[in-house]
């Protein structure tokens, strides 16, 4: 082998080694470090990428991360806490998801069972709860003194804010029950989410795990928007919206105002940008910018990672939300690392 060719081969080998040295990788939304650490530990013990996503998100369900994941948070307008979750295998493209899950705490665990024991993708409501019990999950009360207090305070404030429009009585001044008005104004108020949603009442854990060989898995878990209309489902359990995984390209996960974000399939779009060679940070920024064309002040963020271990994030700047915090764990780190990006 000529000296020049040998040098080029060595440099290529070093480049490949450096790229794979960034794997395995765990990335998740918000400063939920315990969830990151749990997922990493699963990988280190020989667990699969799906195992890591499931256990990492389940850690947040147990810890009630920010009151926006798991039981005892975000009561709907009837005072009940319900859960949404999904998990996706980037090798097989299988998805398991549950939405409006009632009286079962381990939503991401139930979502995993949808993959393992059904030919379906998404189960919802009371039927999802019945499925969970058949899979061995116990019925448990998701209400806590804190969630009851949040609900009671909301009632005392004339049910403000809420998610109704074009109804009587005036939903901006009073509680229901509501009836439809004769005249319907169909124009979307894209700024309404700014008043209803904030980083303090609507977060989600979204997680991406990439194994040493580049295998990708992703997942989400949330209790949804506080004071949501009963039965509401946001972006979190919807494949391509809340999260997406494809072992030929990468993974992504979203957090924020799901009613707006799910309309744009941001996680799917981010993965497709990465498939075309776009840097993960730029991929995240592009999907945020796309939504901002319609909803300039929407609240939301996206995390992205490709199969070489590169990662990034982006968020939409809105009053009270100018930076987004997310967690990363990789072989170059001795512990979960909290990362921060400025919103655009």
């Amino acid at each position: 082998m000529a000296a020049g060719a040998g040098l080029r081969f060595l440099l290529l080998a070093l480049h490949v080694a450096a790229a794979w040295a960034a794997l395995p990788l765990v990335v998740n939304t918000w400063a939920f470090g315990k969830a990151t650490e749990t997922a990493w530990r699963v990988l280190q013990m020989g667990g699969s990428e799906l195992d890591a996503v499931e256990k990492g998100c389940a850690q947040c369900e147990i810890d009630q991360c920010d009151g926006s994941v798991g039981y005892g948070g975000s009561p709907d307008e009837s005072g009940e806490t319900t859960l949404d979750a999904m998990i996706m295998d980037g090798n097989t493209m299988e998805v398991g998801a549950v939405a409006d899950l009632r009286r079962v705490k381990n939503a991401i665990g139930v979502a995993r069972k949808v993959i393992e024991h059904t030919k379906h993708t998404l189960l919802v409501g009371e039927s999802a709860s019945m499925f969970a019990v058949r899979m061995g999950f116990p019925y448990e009360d998701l209400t806590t003194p804190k969630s009851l207090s949040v609900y009671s305070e909301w009632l005392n404030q004339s049910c403000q804010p809420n998610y109704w429009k074009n109804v009587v009585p005036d939903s901006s001044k009073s509680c229901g029950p509501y009836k439809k008005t004769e005249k319907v104004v169909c124009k979307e108020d894209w700024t309404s989410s700014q008043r209803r949603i904030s980083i303090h009442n609507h977060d989600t854990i979204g997680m991406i795990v990439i194994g040493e060989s580049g295998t990708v898995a992703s997942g989400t878990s949330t209790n949804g928007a506080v004071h949501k209309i009963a039965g509401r489902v946001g972006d979190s359990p919807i494949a391509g919206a809340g999260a997406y995984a494809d072992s030929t390209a990468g993974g992504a996960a979203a957090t924020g105002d799901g009613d707006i974000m799910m309309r744009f399939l941001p996680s799917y779009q981010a993965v497709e940008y990465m498939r075309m060679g776009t840097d993960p940070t730029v991929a995240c920024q592009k999907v945020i910018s796309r939504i901002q064309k319609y909803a300039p002040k929407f609240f939301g963020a996206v995390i992205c990672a490709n199969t070489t271990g590169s990662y990034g994030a982006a968020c939409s700047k809105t009053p009270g939300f100018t930076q987004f915090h997310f967690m990363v764990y990789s072989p170059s780190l001795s512990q979960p690392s909290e990362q921060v990006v400025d919103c655009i």
Side-chain angles (χ1 to χ4, degrees):
M1 182 183 291
L7 179 59
R8 286 194 297 272
F9 179 81
L10 177 61
L11 290 174
L12 177 61
L14 289 173
H15 174 76
V16 172
W20 288 110
L23 297 175
L25 174 71
V26 176
V27 187
N28 62 264
T29 56
W30 307 107
F32 299 153
K34 195 171 179 182
T36 320
E37 192 169 7
T38 296
W40 183 260
R41 186 168 60 249
V42 170
L43 289 178
Q44 297 306 299
M45 294 174 63
S48 70
E49 293 80 11
L50 273 183
D51 293 336
V53 168
E54 179 188 352
K55 298 303 181 185
C57 290
Q59 186 66 58
C60 249
E61 293 174 347
I62 295 168
D63 295 341
Q64 301 168 283
C65 288
D66 275 3
S68 63
V69 181
Y71 70 101
S74 301
D76 64 20
E77 64 174 14
S78 66
E80 183 179 11
T81 295
T82 58
L83 308 179
D84 302 334
M86 70 150 285
I87 190 166
M88 183 168 185
D89 184 332
N91 277 354
T92 66
M93 308 306 289
E94 289 178 294
V95 175
V98 290
D100 194 27
L101 183 70
R102 307 175 65 195
R103 302 187 306 281
V104 177
K105 288 184 176 181
N106 184 200
I108 188 90
V110 181
R112 178 80 179 270
K113 297 303 182 189
V114 173
I115 289 182
E116 293 178 340
H117 299 288
T118 83
K119 297 178 182 179
H120 298 311
T121 295
L122 172 64
L123 299 179
V124 301
E126 192 66 34
S127 297
S129 299
M130 292 172 63
F131 167 79
V133 170
R134 293 175 69 180
M135 293 295 104
F137 295 86
Y139 272 145
E140 299 180 85
D141 189 358
L142 304 189
T143 302
T144 63
K146 181 178 179 180
S147 68
L148 288 174
S149 175
V150 169
Y151 179 58
S152 177
E153 183 177 347
W154 180 70
L155 290 176
N156 291 334
Q157 294 175 345
S158 300
C159 302
Q160 302 303 309
N162 61 60
Y163 291 87
W164 290 90
K165 65 180 183 180
N166 296 321
V167 293
V168 290
D170 187 344
S171 62
S172 68
K173 299 177 181 178
S174 62
C175 298
Y178 304 108
K179 295 183 179 180
K180 65 183 180 68
T181 57
E182 292 302 317
K183 184 178 180 180
V184 175
V185 179
C186 293
K187 185 177 180 181
E188 175 71 63
D189 179 8
W190 289 98
T191 62
S192 62
S193 67
Q194 184 178 332
R195 297 191 298 269
R196 295 189 304 240
I197 307 292
S198 76
I199 58 174
H200 303 295
N201 69 10
H202 189 109
D203 306 339
T204 301
I205 181 163
M207 179 175 284
I208 307 162
V209 173
I210 305 180
E212 289 183 353
S213 64
T215 294
V216 184
S218 65
T220 66
S221 185
T222 184
N223 50 35
V226 65
H227 311 313
K228 62 190 176 187
I229 296 172
R232 177 264 188 186
V233 176
D235 66 317
S236 295
I238 307 301
Y244 200 72
D246 186 335
S247 296
T248 67
T255 181
D257 185 349
D259 288 297
I260 289 178
M261 296 185 76
M262 69 191 299
R263 304 171 193 179
F264 299 88
L265 296 179
S267 295
Y268 171 79
Q269 187 64 55
V271 171
E272 290 308 298
Y273 282 135
M274 290 187 289
R275 184 191 308 284
M276 294 185 288
T278 304
D279 173 80
T281 297
V282 176
C284 285
Q285 291 171 343
K286 284 168 75 72
V287 297
I288 291 294
S289 295
R290 181 167 174 251
I291 302 173
Q292 285 177 330
K293 290 179 182 178
Y294 297 87
K297 298 296 184 181
F298 89 98
F299 161 62
V302 180
I303 55 172
C304 301
N306 64 26
T307 53
T308 68
S310 295
Y311 60 86
C315 52
S316 178
K317 189 175 183 179
T318 191
F321 183 55
T322 59
Q323 291 185 321
F324 174 57
H325 296 243
F326 65 104
M327 300 299 301
V328 178
Y329 210 151
S330 73
S332 62
L333 302 168
S334 59
Q335 59 186 9
S337 172
E338 184 175 338
Q339 312 270 316
V340 183
V341 293
D342 292 325
C343 297
I344 59 176

